[in-house]
Amino acid sequence: LSAQLDPAETALILIEYQNEFLSEGGKLHDPLKPCLEYTNMIENSAKLTKALREKGVCIMHVPIMFMEGAPEIHTNFGILNGVKEGGAFQDGTWASEFHPSMTPLPGDIIVKGKSGLCGFYSTNLDFLLRQRRIKNVIIGGLLTNCCVESTMRSAYEAGYCVYTLTDCSAAMSVDAHESMFQHNASMFSTVTNSEEVEKAVE
């Protein structure tokens, strides 16, 4: 990265690092596994989170979860309908808990209210960022071509300087992951990786 990122003006936004996706036994883990291995997402994310936390960057976790039966979802098509029919990300269960390598630590912030795709739309994320005078948002998580992309687009339109991490995200196929970065991400963000970001934060 050519830019230097002031840690006081920077947040790392970590989308849905939960057991349902990232742990063996999660309902969505098996189809995601090839891309997780391809990007080495879990290891890269844990390493970057630790490094940026130590540099004073605001660490924000954005989980998704639903009540039993997912009454929050009122649609009969698309990815959210699939989540509802599959009973995924049920609040209060192991599936909705954070992956052990990405457990929030004291000082981190857990963003509340995510029951859709965009990290901003149904949550307090924008409020939290503006309270801290954050200018730069670094985005990683799941899925590359769904919640990561939706959050990236919204952050760009909200006026943030957006950095999207190729090696801290994953999709249900490597092709879907690569396609988002090849065709969409550079319109709404600076496409980068964990190593470049760690060096840029000073």
Side-chain angles (χ1 to χ4, degrees):
L1 290 179
S2 58
Q4 291 296 304
L5 304 179
D6 181 349
E9 297 179 341
T10 302
L12 177 62
I13 298 175
L14 301 165
I15 301 172
E16 295 174 23
Y17 283 77
Q18 293 161 270
N19 287 324
E20 197 78 280
F21 275 137
L22 297 181
S23 295
E24 295 283 352
K27 290 184 175 75
L28 301 173
H29 177 71
D30 285 351
L32 190 60
K33 192 172 182 177
C35 197
L36 289 175
E37 294 174 351
Y38 173 77
T39 65
N40 198 31
M41 173 192 169
I42 298 174
E43 183 178 330
N44 292 336
S45 298
K47 181 175 181 289
L48 181 65
T49 301
K50 181 176 186 294
L52 295 191
R53 186 185 284 122
E54 290 172 354
K55 291 187 176 192
V57 168
C58 183
I59 307 299
M60 294 187 166
H61 304 265
V62 190
I64 190 169
M65 56 192 69
F66 302 96
M67 297 166 60
E68 185 175 0
E72 303 94 328
I73 300 173
H74 193 66
T75 182
N76 60 1
F77 66 95
I79 190 168
L80 289 175
N81 184 56
V83 167
K84 181 171 185 170
E85 289 185 342
F89 298 104
Q90 185 176 320
D91 192 11
T93 68
W94 168 86
S96 66
E97 292 174 2
F98 292 101
H99 185 268
S101 71
M102 296 297 291
T103 300
L105 296 184
D108 293 1
I109 295 172
I110 300 175
V111 175
K112 295 180 172 62
K114 189 174 189 300
S115 53
L117 309 180
C118 173
F120 287 91
Y121 190 73
S122 62
T123 76
N124 60 344
L125 176 57
D126 190 61
F127 171 82
L128 293 168
L129 292 169
R130 296 193 187 281
Q131 285 287 302
R132 287 159 178 76
R133 308 296 191 268
I134 296 296
K135 297 179 181 178
N136 311 304
V137 296
I138 304 160
I139 301 174
L142 300 149
L143 297 168
T144 306
N145 58 336
C146 187
C147 297
V148 169
E149 181 171 358
S150 295
T151 305
M152 169 191 72
R153 287 170 178 254
S154 293
Y156 176 77
E157 293 211 69
Y160 296 101
C161 296
V162 187
Y163 300 85
T164 311
L165 298 163
T166 59
D167 63 340
C168 296
S169 52
M172 289 298 183
S173 73
V174 171
D175 285 346
H177 172 83
E178 289 291 346
S179 178
M180 200 289 282
F181 281 106
Q182 288 173 10
H183 300 292
N184 298 352
S186 63
M187 291 193 289
F188 311 102
S189 72
T190 297
V191 176
T192 185
N193 60 50
S194 58
E195 184 177 353
E196 290 179 349
V197 163
E198 184 176 347
K199 289 176 181 176
V201 174
E202 295 294 345

